[in-house]
Amino acid sequence: MYIDKFKNKEEFKEEFKRRIIEKYGRSIEQAHVTEKYMVLGTMVRDYASVNWKASKEEIARVEGKQMYYFSMEFLIGRLLTSNLMNLGIYDIVKEGLADLGLDINKLEDMESDAGLGNGGLGRLAACFLDSLASLNYAGHGNCIRYEYGLFKQKIIDGKQVEVPDQWLRLGNVWEVRKPKHSVDVKFWGHIEMSMDEHGKARINHADAHIIRAVPYDMEVIGYDTKLTNTLRLWSAEPAEDASNSQGFSEYIREVNEINQNVYPDDSTEAGRYLRLKQQYFFVSAGLTAMIKAHLRVYPTLDNLADKNCVQLNDTHPVLAIPEMMRLLMDDYLYEWDDAWRITTETMAYTNHTVLAEALEKWPIQFIQTMLPRIYMIIEEINKRYIYALNHVYYRPDLINDTAIIKDGQVHMANLAIIGSHSINGVAKLHTQILVKDVFKNYYAIMPEKFNNKTNGITHRRWLVYSNPQLTELLKDTIGDSFIKHPQDLVKLMDHIDDVKLQQRFLDVKMERKQILADYIKKNVGIEVDVNSIFDVQAKRLHAYKRQLLNVMHIIYLYQRMKADSSFRIYPRTFIFAAKAAPAYHFAKKVIELINSIAAVVNNDPEINRYMKVVFIPNYSVSIAEILMNAADVSEQISTAGKEASGTGNMKFMMNGAITLGTLDGANVEIVERVGYENAEIFGLRAEEVEEIKRANSYHVWDYYNTHETLKRIVDSFIDGTWSQNKDEFKLIYDELMFKNDEYLLLADFDEYEKAQANIRKRYEDRSGWARMCLLNIAQSGYFSSDRTIEEYVRDIWHIEKINVK
């Protein structure tokens, strides 16, 4: 059996050499490094396939319930290292390759980050898949096989430039194309209704444009377990019986654009139609495949909800609700009430935002023309919901606020709540805001649906694999049980006052900082001082995340040091990493501002001994793995009440960085565990922000006109300090001053500056700082996605562990 080929390094070497010859007709010496990587990846995939097959058979044998995680993103990162580690064969492969004169690290570097996402939403989905497999739960992913990801970010003349992310240039060694499981997905056309011989209405989707959805399956390998789940990625291909109502070239273009990029530019009507098309494409294909798989084991769909559950990750996959109704009624002839029961018992919805603009809404015309049958079903769901408000809940007053269809739009979050049996937020504060404000009217009539599931991260990738230095320190101090049981990190609390351990931690941190400094020097061309405070803000660029507040503080320090030669700070390196959406002009301008400030500060010999500013381009999982374990300070400074959870805050914490942040998202729960004395919290609270908005009591010009320091900072955007063109950053000035500083940067600035000053003082107490970092690590086990998954299993999914022998 092939599984024996990794039993020892001698067998591995022979198999590796044989495969190089068979695949490429060359010896190892002649083979290119990319060919060696491809062969190694294929060997690992094939090795895991034995468990993959056994897992499917065992799930069917025990008739186990399975969970399907529908998400527009799965930011899985590179898989070679984690797969080798999870399978327990990393050392055999490393030693075998070394015997052959090969460095495993060079092969690992050949792998591209999979272009399957953008930010926290996709990274959360990836963490969940890791934890599901590692905990022996049958849970699979469903997404699109994007060919060019979001985009590759280049910084040219200080500006973000988007180029295609060609992550598939070597192919994807982890995927297996499954054409036999292909599905036809229909768009456009019109609906014809007829009666069959039993008097039942039959639906025909006539003149539809048919696109073939072809699945590419990837193994999801858990840590030290044989259960192997599936991440299914759907690729759009021409259908054999496509409609002839459009030209061939136009049809091929329409097919190809579906899987080109995640989140196409939605500033145009064509871009919005494409987003909607993507969303329907992968949920239709995924549900069709799920139902077919169910029918291979069971003779009926009556028990579909007993054996399957679907988690909708944000509003992007919410079309799954009317699509499941369509499949059950049109293809399997279920009556409405039975189809609705099965659908609502199967579907569960995770909300990720309280921002009104981020709660998706589609013009009626978009859905009506592109998805005519789906719109008919949504209309009927809405009609029945309004009837229930009148005659079941006796709350007709809620119709205007909670209807699915209103103001000419289909409100996807409303559809998600009405069509799911569970709605969860992703942090304690976030869920409180949902039930008390954003969705309070739904909570009033269906409170049993709402629950909280605070996000988590897979500690295996974000600590054990990405930070081997810290992992060894932890193993030496508390043993290795935390790898399988992350809650055991709390054992470190017994050692945080150990002076020797504190020094060893500082040595580990210095080693990781040097690795990051080398990366910055090589890729950005800036030399940074590893003895300085590494202050990091790494996340999607958005106004509410307030990278601009960080920038304003940097400007403050620079201006003060230039004006007062007696004022100098403990050396600080401010590090940013972020992508801005291509059409988000404000965010792109902030990136340009950061780079302009960096050019001034880093080249000022009077100041650059004390301060450097670095923007790391093309932020990705691989960059995060280098960045987060080198940070001293974790910037989590969103306007309170705006960040649903955040997971970067957890990764920084787990690697021994101190949270500098507002009481927002999961920061609240971090501080609950570490105490205010072991974090640096500042700024308005969520309820204070809400009161300011409600009372309309905030006036940005009052701050500007009465606070000379703030006035100097803001004026620098338009006085030529950062660009010879005084209008270069006028967009930022206008956004701040003529939109009344929507995210309250000026209101929070003084407290932020004081918090930063406190950080500087605390950092100089090296023993106290190390103790604080160790305490944060000790309390971080709660934020493992293993804990989050167990809560989903207990409260929502009700799936059981699968024991694969």
Side-chain angles (χ1 to χ4, degrees):
M1 195 189 297
Y2 179 72
I3 197 167
D4 291 330
K5 298 302 181 183
F6 282 94
K7 220 162 53 171
N8 58 60
K9 68 175 182 177
E10 297 304 324
E11 290 185 352
F12 164 75
K13 287 191 295 185
E14 289 306 310
E15 180 69 11
F16 186 73
K17 287 189 285 187
R18 182 182 70 79
R19 288 204 177 202
I20 290 278
I21 294 168
E22 289 181 352
K23 177 80 172 173
Y24 296 107
R26 324 180 150 201
S27 66
I28 285 181
E29 293 75 21
Q30 294 172 320
H32 190 266
V33 64
T34 58
E35 295 170 336
K36 295 166 188 172
Y37 158 72
M38 295 295 286
V39 164
L40 177 58
T42 304
M43 287 177 66
V44 176
R45 186 195 70 205
D46 291 351
Y47 175 74
S49 290
V50 177
N51 291 339
W52 205 14
K53 167 182 172 290
S55 298
K56 294 169 186 173
E57 291 174 347
E58 183 62 16
I59 292 167
R61 188 188 72 80
V62 301
E63 298 187 348
K65 185 177 184 180
Q66 301 180 76
M67 190 281 297
Y68 295 87
Y69 201 78
F70 279 41
S71 177
M72 284 294 284
E73 302 183 47
F74 283 89
L75 209 57
I76 55 178
R78 300 192 290 191
L79 294 177
L80 180 57
T81 303
S82 61
N83 282 349
L84 288 169
M85 293 275 197
N86 282 355
L87 289 165
I89 56 177
Y90 187 88
D91 289 339
I92 287 172
V93 170
K94 181 179 179 181
E95 292 166 13
L97 291 172
D99 287 356
L100 296 171
L102 302 176
D103 180 354
I104 192 171
N105 298 131
K106 290 185 177 176
L107 299 192
E108 290 168 327
D109 287 342
M110 285 297 100
E111 185 174 6
S112 298
D113 279 51
L116 300 176
N118 173 28
L121 188 82
R123 189 51 236 167
L124 179 76
C127 287
F128 280 4
L129 289 188
D130 177 273
S131 286
L132 281 158
S134 297
L135 294 169
N136 289 302
Y137 292 116
H140 315 288
N142 193 71
C143 189
I144 293 175
R145 184 180 181 266
Y146 304 107
E147 292 182 3
Y148 301 110
L150 184 68
F151 57 83
K152 182 177 181 181
Q153 181 194 54
K154 289 189 172 185
I155 302 299
I156 299 176
D157 296 330
K159 298 178 174 68
Q160 170 178 297
V161 176
E162 303 94 22
V163 299
D165 174 15
Q166 301 196 46
W167 73 280
L168 288 169
R169 66 189 185 282
L170 297 180
N172 178 7
V173 72
W174 307 110
E175 69 186 12
V176 179
R177 188 171 186 267
K178 299 280 187 70
K180 72 173 184 176
H181 294 307
S182 296
V183 172
D184 283 343
V185 182
K186 296 180 179 180
F187 300 94
W188 312 106
H190 64 276
I191 302 303
E192 297 174 344
M193 301 185 73
S194 60
M195 304 295 286
D196 65 15
E197 63 273 22
H198 303 294
K200 184 170 178 59
R202 302 303 301 266
I203 302 295
N204 178 42
H205 192 160
D207 298 325
H209 295 186
I210 302 172
I211 295 177
R212 194 79 164 156
V214 180
Y216 288 71
D217 286 357
M218 296 174 65
E219 300 158 333
V220 180
I221 299 167
Y223 175 78
D224 192 27
T225 177
K226 290 186 176 180
L227 180 72
T228 303
N229 291 324
T230 300
L231 170 58
R232 173 158 283 185
L233 306 174
W234 294 98
S235 180
E237 296 186 8
E240 292 182 6
D241 54 350
S243 167
N244 294 320
S245 62
Q246 60 186 148
F248 175 76
S249 297
E250 175 64 19
Y251 173 68
I252 295 300
R253 184 196 62 77
E254 183 179 348
V255 170
N256 290 339
E257 69 182 3
I258 287 178
N259 40 267
Q260 282 187 348
N261 293 97
V262 57
Y263 303 135
D265 179 4
D266 62 355
S267 63
T268 66
E269 185 174 282
R272 297 199 72 201
Y273 267 114
L274 178 54
R275 281 203 184 197
L276 183 63
K277 191 182 296 180
Q278 285 183 329
Q279 292 180 7
Y280 182 68
F281 174 77
F282 93 98
V283 301
S284 177
L287 289 178
T288 302
M290 183 186 81
I291 288 173
K292 287 182 177 178
H294 179 87
L295 291 173
R296 287 196 291 272
V297 179
Y298 307 100
T300 177
L301 294 179
D302 291 354
N303 65 340
L304 185 69
D306 298 327
K307 298 300 180 183
N308 303 273
C309 50
V310 173
Q311 191 70 37
L312 305 173
N313 193 29
D314 214 353
T315 52
H316 312 121
V318 167
L319 287 172
I321 293 168
E323 173 63 6
M324 180 170 275
M325 291 294 289
R326 185 193 70 80
L327 288 165
L328 291 172
M329 293 190 300
D330 297 359
D331 292 0
Y332 297 98
L333 306 183
Y334 275 80
E335 297 293 340
W336 180 280
D337 288 345
D338 292 330
W340 184 246
R341 175 188 57 77
I342 294 170
T343 297
T344 54
E345 289 178 3
T346 302
M347 298 292 167
Y349 163 57
T350 299
N351 173 274
H352 284 276
T353 184
V354 299
L355 300 177
E357 66 270 21
L359 293 172
E360 281 190 307
K361 298 176 281 291
W362 293 106
I364 288 172
Q365 179 193 351
F366 278 38
I367 300 180
Q368 207 169 29
T369 55
M370 183 187 287
L371 307 169
R373 178 59 175 150
I374 293 301
Y375 182 74
M376 291 171 63
I377 293 170
I378 293 173
E379 204 170 35
E380 183 66 17
I381 295 171
N382 185 61
K383 187 173 81 173
R384 290 177 182 239
Y385 170 69
I386 291 172
Y387 179 88
L389 282 178
N390 282 310
H391 300 96
V392 178
Y393 299 116
Y394 303 107
R395 293 296 304 270
D397 57 303
L398 299 184
I399 292 174
N400 287 338
D401 288 332
T402 65
I404 299 168
I405 301 172
K406 58 180 180 174
D407 304 325
Q409 295 180 311
V410 177
H411 293 246
M412 302 307 286
N414 298 6
L415 176 59
I417 293 168
I418 292 163
S420 301
H421 70 275
S422 168
I423 299 99
N424 72 278
V426 290
K428 186 188 294 183
L429 175 63
H430 172 232
T431 302
Q432 288 172 357
I433 292 171
L434 292 184
V435 301
K436 291 180 180 178
D437 181 16
V438 182
F439 298 143
K440 64 181 180 182
N441 290 325
Y442 291 109
Y443 185 73
I445 58 175
M446 47 186 81
E448 71 284 353
K449 287 190 177 187
F450 288 82
N451 60 96
N452 177 61
K453 299 289 171 282
T454 297
N455 282 344
I457 60 172
T458 171
H459 63 288
R460 285 167 287 274
R461 177 180 285 268
W462 292 106
L463 170 62
V464 179
Y465 302 158
S466 65
N467 197 343
Q469 295 86 351
L470 180 55
T471 299
E472 284 307 308
L473 179 150
L474 293 171
K475 286 180 181 177
D476 291 349
T477 308
I478 60 172
D480 64 1
S481 65
F482 70 91
I483 299 175
K484 285 201 117 173
H485 307 286
Q487 64 271 22
D488 286 355
L489 283 169
V490 76
K491 295 177 182 177
L492 192 62
M493 289 297 294
D494 294 336
H495 306 276
I496 61 174
D497 292 307
D498 182 335
V499 176
K500 289 183 180 177
L501 178 64
Q502 291 171 359
Q503 185 55 52
R504 190 175 167 199
F505 167 77
L506 292 174
D507 293 341
V508 163
K509 180 65 77 170
M510 184 61 69
E511 189 174 346
R512 297 305 313 185
K513 288 172 77 170
Q514 187 62 58
I515 291 169
L516 176 58
D518 292 343
Y519 178 89
I520 291 171
K521 173 65 175 170
K522 178 180 177 183
N523 293 279
V524 189
I526 299 173
E527 286 194 31
V528 298
D529 177 8
V530 292
N531 294 300
S532 67
I533 302 171
F534 276 19
D535 182 316
V536 180
Q537 189 172 14
K539 54 182 75 248
R540 180 168 56 92
L541 206 308
H542 194 285
Y544 86 83
K545 294 178 184 287
R546 300 204 296 189
Q547 282 91 349
L548 186 57
L549 179 60
N550 191 345
V551 168
M552 289 170 64
H553 174 250
I554 293 170
I555 293 172
Y556 158 76
L557 291 176
Y558 181 73
Q559 288 179 335
R560 186 171 172 191
M561 284 194 284
K562 291 297 284 184
D564 180 359
S565 60
S566 68
F567 174 73
R568 292 295 181 260
I569 62 171
Y570 191 96
R572 177 88 66 117
T573 301
F574 293 97
I575 302 170
F576 295 86
K579 287 183 177 180
Y584 192 179
H585 301 299
F586 169 80
K588 294 175 78 169
K589 191 57 75 171
V590 171
I591 289 175
E592 185 183 345
L593 177 62
I594 292 168
N595 283 294
S596 295
I597 291 171
V600 173
V601 171
N602 298 347
N603 291 296
D604 187 331
E606 183 186 353
I607 303 300
N608 62 18
R609 287 172 292 169
Y610 304 98
M611 188 164 71
K612 290 277 179 74
V613 179
V614 177
F615 186 91
I616 299 177
N618 203 41
Y619 186 46
S620 64
V621 174
S622 296
I623 289 173
E625 289 170 343
I626 299 170
L627 188 61
M628 287 174 162
N629 49 40
D632 296 307
V633 178
S634 163
E635 295 262 5
Q636 309 296 331
I637 59 176
S638 53
T639 310
K642 299 299 183 185
E643 184 72 84
S645 169
T647 54
N649 45 8
M650 304 167 189
K651 296 161 195 164
F652 282 114
M653 174 196 191
M654 195 172 277
N655 283 277
I658 303 307
T659 300
L660 168 62
T662 52
L663 276 181
D664 197 24
N667 291 355
V668 175
E669 288 157 271
I670 288 174
V671 174
E672 283 179 356
R673 280 164 175 78
V674 304
Y676 281 86
E677 67 277 14
N678 294 298
E680 194 64 48
I681 300 300
F682 74 94
L684 295 163
R685 285 11 182 194
E687 60 274 15
E688 294 172 320
V689 171
E690 183 56 34
E691 178 55 33
I692 286 171
K693 297 292 185 184
R694 188 165 41 245
N696 196 25
S697 60
Y698 181 70
H699 306 289
V700 66
W701 289 101
D702 290 346
Y703 279 85
Y704 175 85
N705 290 321
T706 60
H707 197 308
E708 188 58 35
T709 298
L710 281 173
K711 185 177 187 302
R712 279 196 302 271
I713 294 168
V714 173
D715 284 349
S716 76
F717 299 148
I718 54 172
D719 67 7
T721 302
W722 311 116
S723 172
Q724 290 182 341
N725 177 5
K726 292 184 179 181
D727 290 332
E728 191 68 63
F729 301 113
K730 191 171 185 303
L731 173 64
I732 294 174
Y733 179 90
D734 291 349
E735 192 77 19
L736 205 58
M737 302 309 297
F738 295 113
K739 293 190 177 178
N740 200 37
D741 184 16
E742 180 180 359
Y743 297 107
L744 304 175
L745 282 71
L746 273 65
D748 271 349
F749 180 83
D750 276 351
E751 277 206 36
Y752 180 55
E753 189 277 317
K754 287 173 187 169
Q756 288 279 22
N758 287 342
I759 286 283
R760 295 196 293 273
K761 289 175 195 163
R762 294 168 85 170
Y763 188 82
E764 292 184 68
D765 173 10
R766 303 308 291 134
S767 174
W769 184 269
R771 182 187 185 279
M772 194 160 49
C773 294
L774 289 166
L775 185 146
N776 270 266
I777 296 167
Q779 295 295 334
S780 68
Y782 173 82
F783 296 104
S784 167
S785 48
D786 287 9
R787 184 267 313 154
T788 313
I789 289 300
E790 292 288 10
E791 291 181 4
Y792 273 97
V793 167
R794 179 194 69 208
D795 299 335
I796 302 174
W797 301 335
H798 308 296
I799 53 180
E800 296 182 352
K801 290 181 184 288
I802 304 294
N803 182 26
V804 180
K805 296 183 174 61

